[in-house]
Amino acid sequence: MSTLPADTEPQGRGLLLLELDGAGSHPAAWRVARTAPAAVLAPEHLRGAVLAAESAGFHAATLSDPGLPETKLPETALPDRGQPDQPGPDTAARLNALQRAAFAGPVTRSLALIPEVDTVYTEPFHISTQLASLDYVSGGRAGWLVAASTSAADAAAVGRDTVRGARLSREAGDSIEVSRRLWDSWEDGAVIRDVATGRYLDVDKLHYIDVDNGNYAVKGPSIIPRPLQGQLPVLAPAGLLTPEDVAAGAADALLVSAPAPELLTAEIAETRASVAGASEPALIAELDVVLDSRGQAAAERLAELNSHTVWQSPRARFVGSAAELTELLAEVLAWADGVRLHPAVLETDLEELSRLVLPELRRRGLLAPTTPDATFREQLGLARPASRYAAATSATAGTSTTAAGAEN
Amino acid sequence: MNHSTHPATEFTPSGQLQLGVFFQGVNSGTVWKTAESGSQTDFESFRRIAQTAERGLFAAFFLGEGLRLREHLGRPHALDVAGRPDAQTALAALAAVTSSIGLVATQNTTYNDPADLAHRLSTLDLLSGGRAAWNIVTTDNAWTGANFRRGGYLDHADRYTHAEAFVETAKRIWDAWDDDAIAASASSARWSADGAVRRVRHNGQHYSVDLTPRLPRSAQYRPVLFQAGDSPEGRDFAARQADVIFSAHPQLDDALDFRRDIVERTIRAGRGANDVKIMPASEFILAATPQEALEKKAWVRSLQIGPQQAIAYLEQFWGRELQGYDPDGPLPDIDPVVEETSETRGSGFHGAKARQLADQWRAEAKEKGLSIREFVSAKTSRGDSTFTGSYTEVADRLAEYARTGAVDGFNISPWLIPTGLDNIVNHLVPELQERGVYPTQYAGSTLRENLGLATPVRTGAGVEARSVTA
């Protein structure tokens, strides 16, 4: 945005993202939530959660889409038949992340909406279209958190073999490449609505992408015009993509994890050094959060939750007071471009974050402003890029028929 | 609700009509050349149409699906509206800004996986409080397959066999959770009760599925199923599987024949005579007086098919450029260069015998004395699906459909976005209400309730499993 409102508080650059899955990131969060367990699937829950995140001052919400639970039924069991001794999933059912983000689009004004979308067992053409559509329904506030499922259950659900190792990076990189090309396949201004010639489209601004990566081929062009942001910001866990893909700009931001909070800054610094060069993705630290709340110590809350189901997570975990968390975030934001918080129990921890942590960080000038109707790219400080195909078109201006023909 | 064990063998007209709206997003039906023509992709256009429809108590908001951009002579087609969002993404957003209207997503069985599609439809159904529907379509051509991992893999003849196995699998996924599967309170042993979720497995010719579904049933049990195929196989498929047919038979006599045929097929499939609703595709051109409506129709047609669109329409059947021909002159005297028309303008055009068709059309145009433009306008005007007239005139005609039970409603394609429903909602709906053939409020909160559909019966395996584990 070119004109930002004058503000008495100092403006920083730090971004805060909030993971909004279900009742919270802790698998037993539903046991301490103030609503009935099934309520987490209701639209009112989602509406309340995104509005709470937005009014708390978060810049973005992520919506996770964890893989299917491994089925506990033995192979020999009769199909279709529930077994009394078959344990039900102990964590809540999940709504599709991309559709939750779409639902949140018209409900919010400044919150970027970032669904996690798998790249291994999905059709790249579908997810490209879905993400572009999300950009339209959110007014340019969409992002994509790239995932690559390692779950055997996800593979079995669609009748494919489990993908592991280097092929995961390849599937993720290939899918991003297809989406990015499809997003560029309609140049800006391809819809011309020229009454005189009867042309709705300028066909010279539409492009076949003709991707063939050896694994599959996608022809294009997209079925939806270029997303409002041109290219949606793509986020990926650090280490998922190959260094070559990262260097080539496959991701706009990397999510960086460390085993403990005090190791985050070193991990950020190390990641920063490793990606220095061609592309400079934003680095976002990952942090689980359990806060003191309503007179109950965070450690006590965590112990109670863990007595039901132990919270296993690959992320650093902060357990303590709002003031201590503020200090930690201030320190991490000196190194990282942003932090994604995973609240143990959404309603409880978000209340503390909203009341105590975000206002103090904002007062200290560590957070970027939240601007109604700003795009997610604008929040990240990214310019809106021209379509990769636009240059090719202008270079061959005057022989456009031949140029388009050559792409067939 | 009728809970008798034997399905009804006599069709009983409800005497009522429902309306749906089909936001097309492609083709020449939508007028884009006027000052009132809005964006085809901005969310505000979708919101405006859906909210207007909801104000008019419409049962459903309907979106098509695009899997490959239409082409004309080997390049993207420039002359018609093109470019549309993913149906379910747009509908999930609309779920947040509407409260009663059904949300119908057209989704293909050929280039989706049952586990993924069923999950996304469940999500839409839960996010909308039980208002989701799936319009089941099939495709088989390799031209569309060029955008997908699988490529073109399905024979035309297999498309319904494949689709039916797909739909059966989706239904099992939606049936997988018992009603009381989710923990009633925080003190329950687990989030979902042991044994209350069934595993679904299917091994078919083209795909296999093995999963424990992730979502419970919605307020309307599962998404409502729409189907549009008109071939004998398509009709039987609908009679076995669908809740609503999005038909191509809007003329009263034709609609009555279609109803009789579908009732027969539905009974043969072991279902009740009233179990499948019929809503034909239609276009409404309305005004205060009959004369104004006729003038408006001429204006709409001239905007839908301009000179360039008329030539291009013939080019797709001739397979060659016809730019030298006068749109206001006779049909081209040269022959088509292709054997069969291609699928690249959508499956509706696929496979016509080009030369035979050209001969036939030339004869027809000559006999009626029509120019290229007049001929194409007549061919593409969806003439038999258009209701033209004053509000009272058209309301009288529609009341006859309600009385005879020819259809259960109409699925309207507005020719103007986003204001194309305004006069229907403001003027036609009150006329229908006065005649007692249109609802004066939503019957319920789910699409199933609003369409008067019964709650589905659980699949055999599910019921059996229920009694075993009870």
Side-chain angles (χ1 to χ4, degrees):
Chain A
M1 300 301 263
S2 52
T3 53
L4 293 171
D7 203 314
T8 51
E9 290 177 347
Q11 300 291 1
R13 292 194 49 243
L15 299 175
L16 287 183
L17 292 70
L18 183 67
E19 165 53 41
L20 277 187
D21 189 41
S25 295
H26 195 292
W30 64 275
R31 293 190 178 276
V32 297
R34 284 161 223 153
T35 47
V40 61
L41 299 175
E44 296 73 31
H45 170 86
L46 177 57
R47 192 187 297 268
V50 293
L51 287 174
E54 185 167 81
S55 63
F58 279 92
H59 300 92
T62 63
L63 300 132
S64 76
D65 209 0
L68 287 161
E70 299 295 328
T71 187
K72 302 287 199 303
L73 265 185
E75 274 301 314
T76 52
L78 290 173
D80 306 330
R81 180 162 299 183
Q83 301 291 311
D85 58 346
Q86 181 198 1
D90 198 25
T91 51
R94 287 326 197 292
L95 296 160
N96 175 269
L98 203 143
Q99 281 174 251
R100 277 186 286 153
F103 180 95
V107 172
T108 49
R109 278 293 295 281
S110 65
L111 194 69
L113 301 164
I114 313 171
E116 181 181 23
V117 182
D118 176 51
T119 49
V120 182
Y121 302 111
T122 47
E123 282 287 356
F125 190 85
H126 285 322
I127 62 177
S128 162
T129 310
Q130 290 162 7
L131 288 162
S133 304
L134 176 62
D135 207 39
Y136 278 91
V137 303
S138 65
R141 289 181 284 118
W144 175 17
L145 173 48
V146 172
S149 173
T150 55
S151 151
D154 284 346
V158 298
R160 287 182 42 206
D161 294 332
T162 312
V163 172
R164 296 205 190 285
R167 265 199 63 204
L168 280 174
S169 300
R170 203 183 133 196
E171 286 275 7
D174 285 349
S175 187
I176 294 170
E177 176 70 7
V178 168
S179 269
R180 288 200 180 281
R181 285 187 177 272
L182 285 171
W183 293 335
D184 278 347
S185 66
W186 292 55
E187 289 181 38
D188 295 321
V191 175
I192 50 169
R193 293 172 173 250
D194 185 35
V195 176
T197 61
R199 290 184 308 150
Y200 183 85
L201 301 176
D202 178 352
V203 176
D204 292 339
K205 291 187 170 169
L206 294 174
H207 304 273
Y208 295 102
I209 67 166
D210 280 325
V211 166
D212 186 347
N213 53 42
N215 189 13
Y216 54 84
V218 178
K219 179 79 183 168
S222 179
I223 54 151
I224 181 171
R226 196 154 190 252
L228 299 180
Q229 298 181 89
Q231 289 278 324
L232 275 67
V234 174
L235 288 69
L240 171 62
L241 302 174
T242 64
E244 294 74 29
D245 282 349
V246 173
D252 299 291
L254 299 178
L255 300 172
V256 180
S257 291
E262 60 274 20
L263 301 175
L264 272 172
T265 52
E267 191 65 35
I268 290 281
E270 199 173 305
T271 309
R272 178 98 56 206
S274 74
V275 299
S279 83
E280 300 274 340
L283 300 183
I284 294 168
E286 293 268 57
L287 189 64
D288 290 345
V289 171
V290 194
L291 289 172
D292 298 347
S293 168
R294 301 193 178 193
Q296 202 182 8
E300 201 183 310
R301 288 182 54 219
L302 181 61
E304 186 192 328
L305 289 163
N306 278 347
S307 73
H308 297 291
T309 315
V310 176
W311 189 9
Q312 290 167 329
S313 137
R315 299 173 293 266
R317 182 171 306 159
F318 173 83
V319 184
S321 71
E324 290 164 334
L325 177 63
T326 306
E327 295 310 318
L328 172 66
L329 291 176
E331 191 186 325
V332 174
L333 284 172
W335 295 80
D337 302 288
V339 180
R340 177 163 76 140
L341 301 177
H342 300 252
V345 178
L346 183 60
E347 58 190 354
T348 311
D349 292 297
L350 179 52
E351 195 174 277
E352 301 302 319
L353 290 165
S354 166
R355 205 164 56 87
L356 300 170
V357 180
L358 273 76
E360 177 58 17
L361 290 171
R362 186 149 273 129
R363 197 189 62 76
R364 294 192 199 177
L366 296 174
L367 299 183
T370 54
T371 313
D373 302 325
T375 69
F376 185 29
R377 289 192 76 86
E378 286 166 344
Q379 277 198 359
L380 285 167
L382 297 170
R384 190 178 185 285
S387 162
R388 74 192 63 202
Y389 300 105
T393 304
S394 48
T396 54
T399 57
S400 52
T401 308
T402 322
E407 282 167 12
N408 275 284
Chain B
M1 202 169 290
N2 183 6
H3 284 291
S4 66
T5 45
H6 298 291
T9 53
E10 287 284 322
F11 173 74
T12 320
S14 69
Q16 292 291 303
L17 295 175
Q18 300 283 349
L19 294 178
V21 55
F22 180 12
F23 189 128
Q24 292 219 51
V26 294
N27 293 339
S28 57
T30 311
V31 168
W32 54 265
K33 297 173 185 171
T34 74
E36 303 85 55
S37 304
S39 169
Q40 294 286 324
T41 44
D42 283 359
F43 181 66
E44 286 314 309
S45 292
F46 292 81
R47 185 207 298 260
R48 169 81 194 265
I49 289 276
Q51 290 181 342
T52 304
E54 194 162 78
R55 183 162 61 80
L57 305 174
F58 277 41
F61 178 94
F62 197 102
L63 285 179
E65 180 191 46
L67 299 179
R68 182 151 177 191
L69 202 65
R70 294 174 311 146
E71 290 176 351
H72 181 68
L73 305 181
R75 300 186 70 194
H77 183 50
L79 298 179
D80 293 339
V81 169
R84 57 181 168 188
D86 171 69
Q88 289 206 60
T89 308
L91 294 175
L94 288 174
V97 296
T98 55
S99 56
S100 304
I101 194 166
L103 303 167
V104 192
T106 300
Q107 301 273 265
N108 196 283
T109 53
T110 310
Y111 296 108
N112 278 296
D113 279 300
D116 174 61
L117 184 60
H119 180 64
R120 287 190 292 120
L121 286 164
S122 277
T123 297
L124 183 62
D125 210 14
L126 288 161
L127 282 180
S128 62
R131 296 187 280 135
W134 172 22
N135 178 40
I136 305 159
V137 294
T138 65
T139 192
D140 52 76
N141 62 72
W143 178 77
T144 305
N147 280 334
F148 297 95
R149 287 177 185 263
R150 288 169 183 269
Y153 70 97
L154 193 63
D155 285 342
H156 188 69
D158 289 342
R159 68 195 195 286
Y160 277 115
T161 321
H162 176 73
E164 192 140 16
F166 191 116
V167 173
E168 291 284 357
T169 304
K171 284 182 174 175
R172 284 167 55 204
I173 291 171
W174 294 324
D175 283 348
W177 286 54
D178 282 352
D179 289 329
D180 51 1
I182 301 176
S185 76
S187 56
S188 304
R190 292 178 172 279
W191 198 86
S192 77
D194 290 352
V197 179
R198 287 168 199 81
R199 182 175 177 179
V200 175
R201 285 198 285 184
H202 167 83
N203 273 298
Q205 185 190 351
H206 298 294
Y207 60 90
S208 67
V209 175
D210 180 355
L211 85 158
T212 306
R214 270 197 288 189
L215 288 173
R217 294 204 289 269
S218 74
Q220 63 167 354
Y221 189 103
R222 69 184 177 214
V224 169
L225 299 181
F226 281 63
Q227 205 268 343
D230 199 36
S231 65
E233 298 93 326
R235 293 182 184 198
D236 277 332
F237 176 79
R240 287 192 298 273
Q241 299 290 353
D243 299 305
V244 186
I245 298 179
F246 178 23
S247 83
H249 302 277
Q251 288 293 317
L252 187 59
D253 289 351
D254 196 17
L256 282 165
D257 285 345
F258 186 73
R259 167 74 79 186
R260 275 188 286 274
D261 182 65
I262 292 299
V263 165
E264 213 172 279
R265 290 175 197 266
T266 307
I267 291 169
R268 218 183 300 141
R271 300 174 69 196
N274 280 63
D275 284 7
V276 180
K277 309 295 177 191
I278 301 174
M279 293 178 77
S282 57
E283 178 189 52
F284 285 74
I285 301 177
L286 307 174
T289 68
Q291 185 54 35
E292 273 178 67
L294 283 174
E295 284 162 17
K296 193 191 265 189
K297 184 179 178 180
W299 176 73
V300 170
R301 292 289 181 258
S302 72
L303 290 168
Q304 286 169 327
I305 301 294
Q308 302 91 350
Q309 281 84 2
I311 295 292
Y313 182 82
L314 294 187
E315 284 177 341
Q316 71 183 308
F317 292 96
W318 261 252
R320 62 200 296 175
E321 290 207 20
L322 300 170
Q323 294 302 326
Y325 288 84
D326 178 4
D328 296 316
L331 264 60
D333 44 12
I334 55 170
D335 277 328
V337 296
V338 290
E339 288 293 311
E340 290 198 342
T341 57
S342 104
E343 63 273 69
T344 60
R345 286 285 287 277
S347 50
F349 292 114
H350 181 45
K353 295 274 178 282
R355 191 158 304 193
Q356 203 178 319
L357 196 75
D359 287 343
Q360 202 181 311
W361 281 5
R362 274 192 289 253
E364 190 182 330
K366 194 171 176 187
E367 188 194 320
K368 295 180 182 166
L370 299 177
S371 69
I372 288 178
R373 202 170 162 184
E374 288 162 340
F375 180 80
V376 173
S377 184
K379 276 285 166 219
T380 56
S381 67
R382 298 179 287 167
D384 67 350
S385 68
T386 303
F387 291 83
T388 309
S390 69
Y391 304 115
T392 55
E393 217 174 43
V394 170
D396 285 339
R397 275 180 73 192
L398 297 189
E400 188 63 5
Y401 284 80
R403 192 188 63 74
T404 56
V407 302
D408 296 284
F410 294 89
N411 205 9
I412 302 171
S413 294
W415 45 265
L416 195 59
I417 297 293
T419 53
L421 286 186
D422 291 7
N423 67 354
I424 293 172
V425 167
N426 294 341
H427 303 297
L428 181 63
V429 162
E431 295 280 348
L432 294 172
Q433 286 168 330
E434 266 176 41
R435 287 160 179 75
V437 299
Y438 193 78
T440 51
Q441 59 181 21
Y442 280 107
S445 64
T446 70
L447 177 56
R448 207 172 281 286
E449 288 171 296
N450 290 325
L451 288 172
L453 293 164
T455 303
V457 179
R458 298 198 56 151
T459 57
V463 171
E464 186 190 319
R466 180 76 179 162
S467 60
V468 169
T469 55

